[in-house]
Amino acid sequence: TGGHLFCKVCLQKHTEQRVFGVGNLGVKPNSINGTNTKHTSKALEILCMASDCSSGFREEQLRKACSEKVLAKYNELQYAAVMESANVEGLGKCPKCNFIAIVDDGWPPLLFYCPQCKFKSCRDCGEEYHPGIRCDEVETKVETDGRRVVEEAMTSAMVRTCPRPMCRKKFLKSDGCNKMTCSCGCYVCYVCGKEIPKHVAYKHFCQVAHCKHESCRKCPLYADTTAADKVRVRNAAKKAARSVKRKVRVDVDAMLKDPPAAANSHGRRR
């Protein structure tokens, strides 16, 4: 650099902080006839750690101090900085891996196809390429992830799970009684979700007509669980939406009008 001396460890830590922490090479003052001005431009190399110096470290110095992983990331940042400073027309930048390349004239409008990670993105909004759909109509990744969290919670609340630890298959009842038989052979009560022993079978359920089940404390053999399921799904959706609200707002009411399809049924009545 400009005559300033630093140990290898300091140079290593300085470079790592730049490439992994800050994510850029910083800025350097523009100079006229060797005199620095008030104007700055993006640095194209790792700069000296002295505050009054705008010299950079040579590549052989960096190789002695830094690992291959750090150097590889440094080369990526340097390539991006050089390309941006060159003001080359038709440049595109991948929003996924930040690779910069010249847009091919043969590509469809607004498409950027990253030659490094193969991700197809929109050059206007940076989201996954969406031909025929306006950018303001595209769901962002954060919105997609938030909606998926709520959908999975709704599905989990809707379906039942086999109580046997070695099975845990999911199933959903379409009609009939509440005594279900899992594909593993386990008898399951659709109301309470517990395993029904073989010798108990239908005795698990109330046999008295018009019973309110408050005194018998048994599960009904026939009962419409639709209303109860809707409450379970709504509560699960609201809880999941609260868990992601710091990142994105999920419209639970809209999702409840068009709930996700539940898992395929693995159970049968018997």
Side-chain angles (χ1 to χ4, degrees):
T1 62
H4 300 106
L5 300 178
F6 303 98
C7 72
K8 289 173 60 176
V9 175
C10 287
L11 177 55
Q12 174 193 344
K13 298 298 183 184
H14 175 60
T15 306
E16 289 176 353
Q17 175 62 22
R18 268 292 163 194
V19 300
F20 292 117
V22 181
N24 61 62
L25 302 179
V27 296
K28 63 182 301 183
N30 296 335
S31 61
I32 300 177
N33 297 325
T35 303
N36 292 340
T37 67
K38 295 181 179 181
H39 301 288
T40 60
S41 59
K42 285 188 176 181
L44 305 181
E45 57 189 344
I46 292 290
L47 299 179
C48 177
M49 288 173 272
S51 59
D52 59 344
C53 182
S54 59
S55 298
F57 289 93
R58 296 191 303 272
E59 185 175 349
E60 58 265 28
Q61 294 173 319
L62 294 176
R63 289 196 174 279
K64 290 179 181 179
C66 302
S67 66
E68 290 297 327
K69 179 181 178 181
V70 174
L71 288 173
K73 185 62 177 178
Y74 167 67
N75 289 333
E76 286 182 17
L77 290 178
Q78 189 177 46
Y79 171 78
V82 170
M83 293 292 285
E84 289 179 1
S85 65
N87 293 321
V88 179
E89 292 186 4
L91 280 183
K93 185 175 182 179
C94 177
K96 196 170 184 180
C97 70
N98 295 321
F99 189 81
I100 297 176
I102 297 177
V103 175
D104 192 318
D105 292 336
W107 290 347
L110 300 181
L111 168 67
F112 179 77
Y113 178 70
C114 180
Q116 179 164 281
C117 71
K118 312 304 180 186
F119 183 68
K120 295 180 180 179
S121 61
C122 170
R123 299 204 305 273
D124 268 1
C125 66
E127 295 295 330
E128 188 171 357
Y129 186 55
H130 48 87
I133 303 176
R134 296 200 318 267
C135 292
D136 58 0
E137 296 176 337
V138 176
E139 186 177 63
T140 66
K141 184 179 184 301
V142 174
E143 291 171 336
T144 301
D145 292 344
R147 177 175 52 78
R148 185 179 293 114
V149 168
V150 176
E151 284 181 345
E152 289 175 354
M154 293 169 67
T155 300
S156 296
M158 192 183 306
V159 301
R160 307 299 194 269
T161 304
C162 177
R164 288 185 176 177
M166 299 301 291
C167 179
R168 308 301 291 174
K169 283 190 175 68
K170 307 289 185 182
F171 59 89
L172 183 67
K173 186 187 78 169
S174 57
D175 56 21
C177 74
N178 291 319
K179 177 177 171 291
M180 308 292 293
T181 303
C182 180
S183 58
C184 71
C186 176
Y187 289 168
V188 186
C189 175
Y190 198 75
V191 178
C192 66
K194 296 180 180 179
E195 179 175 359
I196 304 174
K198 300 289 184 182
H199 68 279
V200 175
Y202 285 100
K203 294 179 182 177
H204 174 86
F205 301 95
C206 178
Q207 306 293 322
V208 179
H210 309 299
C211 179
K212 300 296 184 181
H213 312 296
E214 295 177 358
S215 57
C216 72
R217 297 185 180 276
K218 290 186 176 183
C219 298
L221 180 59
Y222 290 94
D224 185 2
T225 59
T226 303
D229 286 345
K230 285 183 177 180
V231 173
R232 285 159 54 101
V233 169
R234 173 177 286 277
N235 291 340
K238 288 186 174 181
K239 182 178 180 180
R242 287 195 297 270
S243 71
V244 299
K245 70 177 182 179
R246 289 187 177 182
K247 296 181 179 180
V248 64
R249 181 183 177 278
V250 180
D251 190 343
V252 173
D253 292 331
M255 293 184 67
L256 288 170
K257 293 178 181 178
D258 185 22
N264 292 331
S265 173
H266 291 283
R268 64 181 186 275
R269 299 181 307 280
R270 179 177 291 176

